[in-house]
Amino acid sequence: MSLPTQARIVIVGGGIAGCSTAYHLSLMGERDVLLLEQGKLTCGTTWHAAGLVGQMRPNRNMTQMSRYGIELYAKLEAETGLATGWKQCGSVNVAATKERMQVYAKQAALARSFGVEVEVISAQRAGELYPLLRTDDLHGGLWIPGDGKANPADLTMSLAKGARNRGVKIVEDVEVIGVLTERGRVTGVRTSQGDVACEVLVNCAGQWARQFGRLAGVNVPLYSAEHFYIVTDRITGVHPMLPVMRDPDGFIYYKEEVGGLVMGGFEPKAKPWAMDPIPSTFQFQLLGEDWDQFEPLMLNAIHRTPCLETAKVKMLLNGPESFTPDGNFVLGEAPELRNYFVAAGFNSAGIANSGGAGRLMAEWIIGGEAPSDLWDVDIRRFGPFMANRQALAQRSGETLGLHYAMRWPRQELVTARPLRTSPLYDQLAARGAVFGAKNGWERANYFKPAAAAEAKPGLGRPDWLEWVIAEQRATRETVALYDQSSFSKLLLQGRDALAVLQRLCANEIDIAVDKMVYTAMLNERGGFESDLTVIRLGVERFLIITGSAQTTRDMDWIARHIGAAEHAFLTDVSAMVSVLSLMGPNARELLARVSPDDLSPASLKFSHTREIDLGLARVRAARMSYVGGPGFELYVPVEMTRHVYLALMDAGESLGLKNAGYYALDALRIEAGRRAWGAELGPDETPFEAGLGFALKLDKPSGFIGRAALLQAQGQPLRKKLVTVVLDNSAAYAWGGEALLMDGRPVGELSSVGWSPKANACVALAYVRGDAAQRAHAGTPVAIDLWGEAVSATAWDAWPPRGLTRS
Ligand SMILES: Cc1cc2nc3c(=O)[nH]c(=O)nc-3n(C[C@H](O)[C@H](O)[C@H](O)COP(=O)(O)OP(=O)(O)OC[C@H]3O[C@@H](n4cnc5c(N)ncnc54)[C@H](O)[C@@H]3O)c2cc1C
């Protein structure tokens, strides 16, 4: 087919992601779609994938996406007439440790509540389902009958045929070598055979997506790693409907192919592929065998399936696949360029997920905003700093290695750190801070006493809990200092700054100078795009403070809503301002020791801010508390942060001042019923459902985005309702993500959990969904599925006080 000179939508890349996006765009009625592939369809990574297709994903929306993919793969051949190799053979996941089995039980409960059929099975039953297995050292497993396998190349060709049948043009052997833009929008692509004008571009360039993105200044942080499997000759007992089998403790998986086995895996120490740039001629190509790298997997496989000791290995396949800094794929519209979409970085799960991801992309492109909460995979979770290739190489090695590894609750990634640090990093480290990382920022999770041994990972009551409880007690009883400098801080200035914020925010923003207000930015569905506090610094100057992870997302959301004629300028000042929070009953007394300014409640009311002297510095003090109770947030110029910290530490000793970290902060805000974006608040939740109706100003004259949806929902029964859940048994320790049960039936899941010294038990926030939402009232008995055991708890529909929500 010859190259057209224009198309409404151009897709770059003819792997499974590009073909699925094309298929779904056409299914939704888009006819003017052009897919360009530099080689032949599937020639990149897709052709050599193993083809395992599973449906268990960590959250509801992602699971829905995978399930949809499976439904599609099961019927695609009937539609297009092209075989896909789809076989619903089911899958068996085995557990070689007690803890893995506990995690399976939790996953099974969640998956069931998401509608996936899954059975927790014994080791013996695993052996019956998969007779090649050695089971004597297994603790059991999971059986997921709906899982299956496909032939990746055939499946992709079938999707391409479905797209072509509805008018999509697919042109092979055309390399896209540039992106044409005008006023921050895509206007076309430059190809090896000439220019093509377009309105929308979709980067589905697989492992080339990062270098292709760079052509247009778009950051797609992914990096390739070598990825292996062996293919054996025929083995007795291996048949086409033999289930897929995964032994994550051995880091390996198996699939039947032509009467033999494909066995591959995710070795803990992976091997990044440092090819930069990746040549466009890398088509239907593989990398060299590396038996040393594969050996740990091979040894584990011989142990798990002894038949491999004697089986003839036909080949060791080594193909590069792209991995991302957090192991999740990359979807959505790039914040750098309008109408530039990305679907890439599938972390060795692109066959399983492209069916659903292609549909989400099509909905996103046509609908103009993400169709549901896709934050886990949203391209805006990455900051520009993540383009660094050395960091990406380190991270891709780590995320590949973690694919099957046991993931402990609150486990932190370790590579490419420390990177973004507050001016207090060394000070806090010297005082025992144990850091975690969010959006690249190092943040103290807790402070470990010098003599104590390091906390070991585990599923039960954590070693660090006593230290965190001490920080919580200081916050409630004396005073604690939290370094919250990682907050995103955005400055919006200009004659129209107020008008922009009024349109975007659901609360009244026309407040007095120096006052602050808690508000939400909503989408047209009334769901939270962000929640934030706004300080009015001047008549035309507003400081917007949001969660640490949301900088790019919130910048994007605000910037895209500033009209071309509007006089409003947005700047990310996150790294210019530190935030030190002094929380607790002694906070005011402490400030009085270092500041001559009057900070009494009569002088500085709640939600008000003021510039004050502090030691030799000038800072902005805000009377505000996220953790509940009295407290001040101090907004400090970065260069004076060390001075302010030392002045406070010096003056605070006799007042019981204690350094505290994010684990304490999180537990306290949960105890106080404060919601956090990304946990309780997201694009699928409305303020009514989240119990935050008090922060709405539905009648403000400017109106705001999402108001119409809220007016419609007002007074209607809630689709889901946020409740506080207090575990009845103080010996039970939960982490979040557990299924919530009412009358024995799953009705939701825990979004956040922390230890509450006040309750002497774990306290959680959770949405109760569907009809059950009407039945959850103060004191309702519920249960949570804790590692497979039902643990009793009590739900409260409003645990006062309520208020701010930032993390
Ligand atoms: C060994 C191995 C085993 C795997 N096993 C599984 C599995 O069992 N299950 C699973 O779900 N996933 C598996 N995967 C992962 C899966 O193969 C990938 O996630 C998936 O194929 C990615 O598809 P894609 O369309 O994003 O990328 P690709 O298939 O690489 O497609 C991108 C295309 O873009 C083209 N392109 C790039 N730049 C340009 C340009 N400038 N102009 C025009 N065209 C361009 C390339 O030529 C390429 O064809 C495995 C991967 C490997 C390596």
Side-chain angles (χ1 to χ4, degrees):
M1 175 178 278
S2 62
L3 187 70
T5 55
Q6 66 175 64
R8 192 176 104 73
I9 301 173
V10 169
I11 297 170
V12 179
I16 190 160
C19 290
S20 177
T21 303
Y23 174 89
H24 286 94
L25 282 167
S26 70
L27 200 63
M28 290 175 69
E30 280 288 341
R31 294 289 173 266
D32 197 7
V33 179
L34 172 67
L35 185 150
L36 300 174
E37 165 55 50
Q38 64 193 4
K40 302 290 181 203
L41 294 185
T42 78
C43 73
T45 304
T46 296
W47 69 279
H48 58 66
L52 280 66
V53 178
Q55 52 189 318
M56 287 214 337
R57 304 276 307 167
N59 66 40
R60 191 172 290 269
N61 287 351
M62 291 289 104
T63 308
Q64 250 169 29
M65 177 197 74
S66 304
R67 285 182 63 202
Y68 164 78
I70 283 189
E71 283 163 24
L72 172 69
Y73 297 168
K75 64 183 188 198
L76 191 63
E77 180 174 347
E79 178 200 322
T80 65
L82 275 191
T84 58
W86 169 250
K87 285 200 172 54
Q88 195 167 333
C89 54
S91 74
V92 178
N93 295 356
V94 297
T97 66
K98 183 167 85 30
E99 289 83 4
R100 174 79 66 181
M101 207 53 219
Q102 286 178 276
V103 171
Y104 278 173
K106 176 174 177 175
Q107 288 173 344
L110 262 192
R112 274 189 223 109
S113 87
F114 299 158
V116 176
E117 190 186 344
V118 51
E119 196 184 322
V120 177
I121 56 173
S122 65
Q124 189 195 339
R125 174 92 173 110
E128 287 159 15
L129 287 161
Y130 203 85
L132 308 175
L133 256 186
R134 175 180 168 170
T135 58
D136 58 346
D137 59 347
L138 290 180
H139 289 253
L142 288 181
W143 166 234
I144 309 143
D147 280 1
K149 58 182 177 176
N151 179 322
D154 290 352
L155 180 60
T156 305
M157 296 311 269
S158 200
L159 286 165
K161 177 144 190 239
R164 277 195 185 107
N165 286 349
R166 291 190 202 87
V168 172
K169 297 181 195 70
I170 297 179
V171 188
E172 296 175 308
D173 300 313
V174 175
E175 184 185 353
V176 181
I177 52 175
V179 177
L180 310 176
T181 65
E182 227 177 86
R183 293 172 177 269
R185 281 179 181 276
V186 170
T187 55
V189 291
R190 176 143 299 158
T191 81
S192 50
Q193 296 179 21
D195 290 356
V196 181
C198 69
E199 286 170 33
V200 175
L201 171 65
V202 198
N203 174 351
C204 296
Q207 61 176 346
W208 292 264
R210 174 168 55 85
Q211 67 197 47
F212 180 69
R214 223 166 33 211
L215 293 178
V218 169
N219 179 23
V220 187
L222 51 77
Y223 204 89
S224 296
E226 300 189 21
H227 196 28
F228 305 86
Y229 59 73
I230 56 164
V231 185
T232 75
D233 229 334
R234 286 181 180 279
I235 295 175
T236 311
V238 174
H239 56 87
M241 286 308 280
L242 187 71
V244 159
M245 197 271 280
R246 300 181 189 86
D247 171 14
D249 297 304
F251 313 110
I252 48 178
Y253 65 79
Y254 298 77
K255 180 199 123 180
E256 177 276 343
E257 198 169 285
V258 209
L261 288 175
V262 165
M263 185 281 290
F266 297 83
E267 67 278 20
K269 251 191 132 11
K271 200 175 159 197
W273 186 43
M275 177 59 71
D276 189 25
I278 300 169
S280 59
T281 50
F282 192 83
Q283 298 169 14
F284 294 118
Q285 285 188 45
L286 295 170
L287 304 174
E289 287 189 349
D290 184 343
W291 279 101
D292 288 343
Q293 182 70 16
F294 195 69
E295 191 183 6
L297 302 183
M298 194 67 209
L299 291 175
N300 289 346
I302 289 172
H303 171 83
R304 186 57 59 215
T305 49
C307 64
L308 281 186
E309 203 159 3
T310 50
K312 184 164 178 274
V313 175
K314 289 199 289 195
M315 73 177 301
L316 169 59
L317 180 141
N318 177 7
E321 158 73 339
S322 51
F323 291 81
T324 61
D326 58 3
N328 246 332
F329 39 93
V330 187
L331 298 187
E333 187 176 2
E336 297 92 345
L337 191 58
R338 290 284 97 91
N339 288 353
Y340 187 113
F341 288 80
V342 179
F346 280 95
N347 297 277
S348 201
I351 307 307
N353 291 303
S354 283
R359 178 166 84 161
L360 292 173
M361 286 308 295
E363 289 173 349
W364 201 326
I365 292 165
I366 292 171
E369 59 180 51
S372 54
D373 183 353
L374 300 176
W375 178 232
D376 286 0
V377 293
D378 192 319
I379 190 168
R380 294 170 300 171
R381 72 191 187 279
F382 299 119
F385 68 93
M386 287 181 188
N388 180 285
R389 281 163 285 176
Q390 193 184 341
L392 282 174
Q394 292 179 12
R395 257 305 157 81
S396 62
E398 186 181 11
T399 50
L400 184 152
L402 286 174
H403 198 84
Y404 277 177
M406 180 73 185
R407 298 294 283 270
W408 301 99
R410 305 217 174 182
Q411 185 175 334
E412 297 280 345
L413 297 171
V414 296
T415 55
R417 292 180 55 193
L419 182 56
R420 307 177 83 190
T421 54
S422 120
L424 300 182
Y425 179 77
D426 294 325
Q427 294 286 339
L428 302 185
R431 288 167 170 83
V434 175
F435 292 94
K438 194 152 201 177
N439 198 12
W441 287 102
E442 293 294 323
R443 316 191 310 173
N445 282 339
Y446 55 86
F447 288 79
K448 182 180 83 58
E454 274 184 30
K456 293 178 296 301
L459 302 181
R461 192 181 167 95
D463 293 348
W464 44 255
L465 187 62
E466 293 314 316
W467 314 327
V468 170
I469 288 175
E471 295 170 17
Q472 291 176 240
R473 285 204 194 288
T475 313
R476 293 283 185 247
E477 293 161 18
T478 55
V479 56
L481 192 155
Y482 295 84
D483 179 7
Q484 294 189 266
S485 301
S486 65
F487 270 147
S488 302
K489 288 143 246 141
L490 315 177
L491 186 65
L492 188 71
Q493 312 180 79
R495 287 192 300 278
D496 296 318
L498 176 62
V500 170
L501 284 178
Q502 286 286 42
R503 199 163 62 234
L504 287 175
C505 297
N507 210 339
E508 178 60 58
I509 306 298
D510 194 4
I511 50 175
V513 170
D514 285 341
K515 202 172 176 308
M516 74 198 297
V517 60
Y518 169 65
T519 184
M521 293 196 292
L522 304 174
N523 53 37
E524 294 290 358
R525 306 190 306 277
F528 285 87
E529 286 298 318
S530 182
D531 79 324
L532 50 143
T533 42
V534 179
I535 302 178
R536 190 166 197 175
L537 299 176
V539 176
E540 297 177 354
R541 288 173 63 224
F542 297 84
L543 185 66
I544 297 163
I545 302 120
T546 75
S548 310
Q550 289 148 247
T551 322
T552 308
R553 179 191 181 96
D554 292 339
M555 285 282 290
D556 176 63
W557 184 260
I558 297 168
R560 68 169 54 226
H561 287 97
I562 299 176
E566 280 181 313
H567 186 262
F569 307 93
L570 184 65
T571 314
D572 175 9
V573 296
S574 304
M576 293 169 66
V577 186
S578 300
V579 182
L580 303 185
S581 299
L582 271 186
M583 295 293 145
N586 292 348
R588 191 154 56 85
E589 166 66 21
L590 172 50
L591 280 179
R593 291 185 180 186
V594 290
S595 174
D597 291 281
D598 180 7
L599 295 173
S600 64
S603 166
L604 187 68
K605 296 196 176 63
F606 186 72
S607 249
H608 284 69
T609 77
R610 178 178 307 151
E611 292 257 2
I612 60 165
D613 286 357
L614 197 160
L616 302 174
R618 289 286 289 170
V619 311
R620 180 175 288 271
R623 232 191 99 208
M624 182 50 62
S625 162
Y626 182 47
V627 294
F632 296 85
E633 289 178 351
L634 304 174
Y635 291 81
V636 186
V638 156
E639 71 277 18
M640 294 181 221
T641 307
R642 182 176 173 280
H643 171 79
V644 167
Y645 175 75
L646 292 177
L648 289 169
M649 290 308 291
D650 202 32
E653 208 181 332
S654 60
L655 291 170
L657 175 64
K658 200 168 170 46
N659 284 293
Y662 273 82
Y663 286 4
L665 185 95
D666 203 43
L668 289 164
R669 68 101 189 156
I670 296 164
E671 186 184 61
R674 264 61 162 168
R675 289 82 166 114
W677 198 89
E680 289 76 38
L681 310 178
D684 294 345
E685 284 81 37
T686 70
F688 297 138
E689 292 161 346
L692 293 176
F694 71 91
L696 294 175
K697 190 91 173 95
L698 285 166
D699 57 355
K700 69 175 178 176
S702 60
F704 57 88
I705 298 172
R707 178 171 172 270
L710 293 184
L711 287 176
Q712 221 170 25
Q714 208 176 20
Q716 304 291 321
L718 296 173
R719 294 172 304 174
K720 57 185 166 189
K721 183 169 91 174
L722 195 72
V723 294
T724 299
V725 175
V726 183
L727 270 61
D728 294 341
N729 180 352
S730 55
Y733 199 90
W735 294 92
E738 292 82 2
L740 179 71
L741 313 171
M742 207 186 266
D743 305 323
R745 282 190 318 110
V747 291
E749 54 277 354
L750 306 190
S751 48
S752 305
V753 184
W755 181 264
S756 162
K758 214 176 353 180
N760 191 32
C762 281
V763 172
L765 296 171
Y767 278 102
V768 179
R769 294 165 191 274
D771 298 345
Q774 319 308 324
R775 289 185 281 123
H777 298 295
T780 305
V782 292
I784 67 163
D785 190 310
L786 186 61
W787 312 122
E789 308 270 323
V791 170
S792 67
T794 310
W796 304 89
D797 68 357
W799 231 35
R802 295 163 162 167
L804 284 185
T805 69
R806 285 179 278 139
S807 68

